[in-house]
Amino acid sequence: MGVVELLGVAASVSLLAGWRLYLCVFATGLAMRTGWIELPQHLASLDVLANPWVLAISALGLIAEFFADKVALLDSAWDAVHTLIRPIGGALLAMAIVDAQDPAWQVATFLLGGGATLLTHGAKAGTRAVVNASPEPFSNVAVSTGEDVATAGLLWLALANPVAAVIVAIVLLALTVVALILLRRAIKRFLAPPARRAGEEPDPFPLRGGPPPA
């Protein structure tokens, strides 16, 4: 596997960890332990994910996250708590995948992996906050379930096919950037004055109550 494919796998897993860290850890470890996925030799350092203790802890986190992510507002609180946990987990996963011997390369992988995870985590948390503003309760469950399915499917694809991992990483990165841009516009529109939000001209004399007398 070349450097591009290797970085694609690391980037894909790191980006997906921003959505579902525990699912990434548990699914990869379980697939390795049961033989569903035979990782190449360069990914041998990920054997630690198949450790029974790691599987048990990640399974508990996966169950808790699965239910917490389906409840409006509770999912935002869960995201807030994991603002630090997910980037660190994604960075460690990236380091384990690359398994570089050069300390400088290890630091670079840690920073890039953590940054990628933080990027998708921010997009996820912001998007879910917008979804939570919806008065009906079903959109939150639908979005959360979609994230579960997408994470599991893309994770399997990235680990099983290094070439596909590069494509997955590029698509995830592009979608994340687009989501962040849309979130920025939505926040600016929400914070704008009411008149401007309604498409009306703002009052030029807000403090005087009208134009000065002639």
Side-chain angles (χ1 to χ4, degrees), residues 32-108:
M32 293 167 57
R33 190 169 185 83
T34 58
W36 293 348
I37 295 179
E38 293 186 5
L39 295 179
Q41 185 63 34
H42 72 279
L43 297 181
S45 57
L46 284 178
D47 286 341
V48 66
L49 300 182
N51 182 281
W53 283 102
V54 176
L55 284 174
I57 294 173
S58 60
L60 290 175
L62 170 61
I63 294 172
E65 185 170 61
F66 179 83
F67 289 103
D69 205 63
K70 303 296 185 295
V71 181
L73 299 182
L74 180 58
D75 64 334
S76 293
W78 182 271
D79 287 336
V81 172
H82 285 76
T83 300
L84 180 62
I85 298 175
R86 283 174 182 160
I88 293 178
L92 292 176
L93 283 173
M95 285 185 63
I97 292 173
V98 174
D99 193 24
Q101 299 299 321
D102 184 3
W105 184 241
Q106 291 178 352
V107 172

Side-chain angles (χ1 to χ4, degrees), residues 13 15-16 25 48 56 59 106 115 130 132 134 155 162 170 193 197 200:
V13 175
L15 289 166
L16 290 171
V25 175
V48 66
Q106 291 178 352
V130 173
N132 286 337
S134 175
L155 177 64
I170 294 174
R197 268 186 278 168
E200 302 173 359

Side-chain angles (χ1 to χ4, degrees), residues 11-12 15-16 19 120 154 167-177:
S12 297
L15 289 166
L16 290 171
W19 290 355
T120 50
L154 293 175
I167 300 176
V168 169
I170 294 174
V171 172
L172 285 174
L173 185 59
L175 291 176
T176 300
V177 172

Side-chain angles (χ1 to χ4, degrees), residues 197-213:
R197 268 186 278 168
E200 302 173 359
E201 289 295 330
D203 185 0
F205 307 100
L207 299 180
R208 301 182 185 181

Side-chain angles (χ1 to χ4, degrees), residues 177-193:
V177 172
V178 171
L180 290 173
I181 293 175
L182 294 177
L183 283 171
R184 179 176 177 272
R185 292 179 179 177
I187 293 174
K188 288 181 63 177
R189 183 175 180 82
F190 177 78
L191 296 177

